[in-house]
Structure formats: C-alpha cells, structure tokens
Amino acid sequence: MKFTTVSVSYSRKFNLGDYESLELGCSLWAQVEDGEDADGITQFLYHQAKASVKQAAMPVLKASEFQINKAKSSKKVSGDINESDW
C-alpha cells in the first residue's frame, strides 16, 4: 500500500474544578516518500502532538488550585505539578 500523507490528532481535556475544564488539541501531517516507514512517522507525529499539548497545558495546570490539590492528595511531596505526572 502506498501512503502519500499521514496525519495524527491528539487532544486532552483537563478538569480545572468548579465546573471548568480545558481542552487542548494538536493535529500534525507529514508527507511520506516511497520507501519511508509510515508507521514510524505516525508514531513520531503522535509523540510530537502529545508533547505540544503537554507544553501548552502546563502553565494552566500549574496555576490551577484544583490540579495542585489533586497532586497533593496523590501523595506528592511538593504542590507543584510536574510533567512526569502525566
């Protein structure tokens, strides 16, 4: 099967408490040449889209009191939300 373009979309919704939420998403496309690994390119795009959403969400999540309390209740030592919490 010959692919010419692959696309990946990634979105995530975060609960901010008080009936508020934040939904972020990212869509990426790439041209695939004959002989290139389409599955590898798709995985790369997925990881890039996920990292982009994470980077955009971190400032909001770090400022969200609900998310800070959620992190504290899950026995985190500090009240800071880290990227490793994903």
Side-chain angles (χ1 to χ4, degrees):
M1 184 184 315
K2 181 181 176 184
F3 293 98
T4 56
T5 304
V6 293
S7 68
V8 170
S9 294
Y10 178 84
S11 66
R12 185 155 176 194
K13 184 179 271 191
F14 302 93
N15 183 358
L16 301 177
D18 293 328
Y19 303 101
E20 292 183 276
S21 63
L22 170 68
E23 186 168 7
L24 296 169
C26 180
S27 295
L28 299 173
W29 294 267
Q31 296 290 351
V32 180
E33 300 291 327
D34 227 6
E36 286 185 318
D37 179 19
D39 289 333
I41 293 171
T42 303
Q43 286 182 355
F44 175 78
L45 292 177
Y46 171 79
H47 291 293
Q48 290 296 312
K50 186 175 178 180
S52 180
V53 168
K54 182 188 293 188
Q55 182 180 5
M58 288 311 294
V60 177
L61 296 178
K62 286 182 178 182
S64 169
E65 189 173 324
F66 176 80
Q67 288 290 336
I68 291 170
N69 290 335
K70 184 177 169 184
K72 283 181 182 178
S73 70
S74 66
K75 300 183 182 176
K76 297 288 181 191
V77 176
S78 73
D80 199 21
I81 297 174
N82 300 308
E83 290 184 27
S84 62
D85 295 338
W86 286 49

